[in-house]
Amino acid sequence: MTTTVPMILLMLGCAIVTWLPRVIPFMLVRNVELPDVVLRWLKYIPVCILSALVIESLFNADGSIVTFDWLNLAAFIPTLIVAVFTKSLSKTVVVGVVSMAILRYFF
């Protein structure tokens, strides 16, 4: 398959359409002072998103039976400890990725 000009334009268009919705909100509120209520509410969004992603990956649905995914649960425990004590997203992500890599290597 060769790369043609329309294919490159399509990829650039997709990149722009993906990038714009992520950048425009920051550009709009950059010079605006948001009320404290809004700022407090916005602090919960990352926790809600992370919780939804994590909780979904901890369980397996086998028909009508729900079981734990023990490998994900084992990686979740050290990740949760680092998240609670450091409150650092980057450290939490690194510990989660390293924990899962080690567990997958040995199991």
Side-chain angles (χ1 to χ4, degrees):
M1 179 177 200
T2 60
T3 305
T4 62
V5 172
M7 183 70 71
I8 292 173
L9 292 174
L10 178 66
M11 287 188 283
L12 286 172
C14 289
I16 290 170
V17 167
T18 302
W19 181 73
L20 282 177
R22 296 175 186 191
V23 173
I24 289 174
F26 292 108
M27 291 171 49
L28 292 176
V29 299
R30 179 176 49 192
N31 298 325
V32 176
E33 183 74 26
L34 295 174
D36 288 337
V37 173
V38 174
L39 292 175
R40 277 197 327 246
W41 178 77
L42 287 172
K43 287 182 182 178
Y44 289 106
I45 290 176
V47 174
C48 292
I49 293 170
L50 182 62
S51 299
L53 292 172
V54 168
I55 297 301
E56 186 270 333
S57 71
L58 290 179
F59 298 103
N60 288 329
D62 299 325
S64 62
I65 299 173
V66 177
T67 60
F68 280 112
D69 186 339
W70 294 106
L71 197 64
N72 287 349
L73 184 64
F76 173 70
I77 292 169
T79 305
L80 179 65
I81 291 169
V82 169
V84 167
F85 286 113
T86 67
K87 294 181 178 45
S88 167
L89 181 61
S90 58
K91 290 177 185 174
T92 302
V93 169
V94 168
V95 168
V97 169
V98 169
S99 298
M100 185 55 82
I102 290 170
L103 288 167
R104 285 187 179 171
Y105 182 76
F106 288 110
F107 299 103

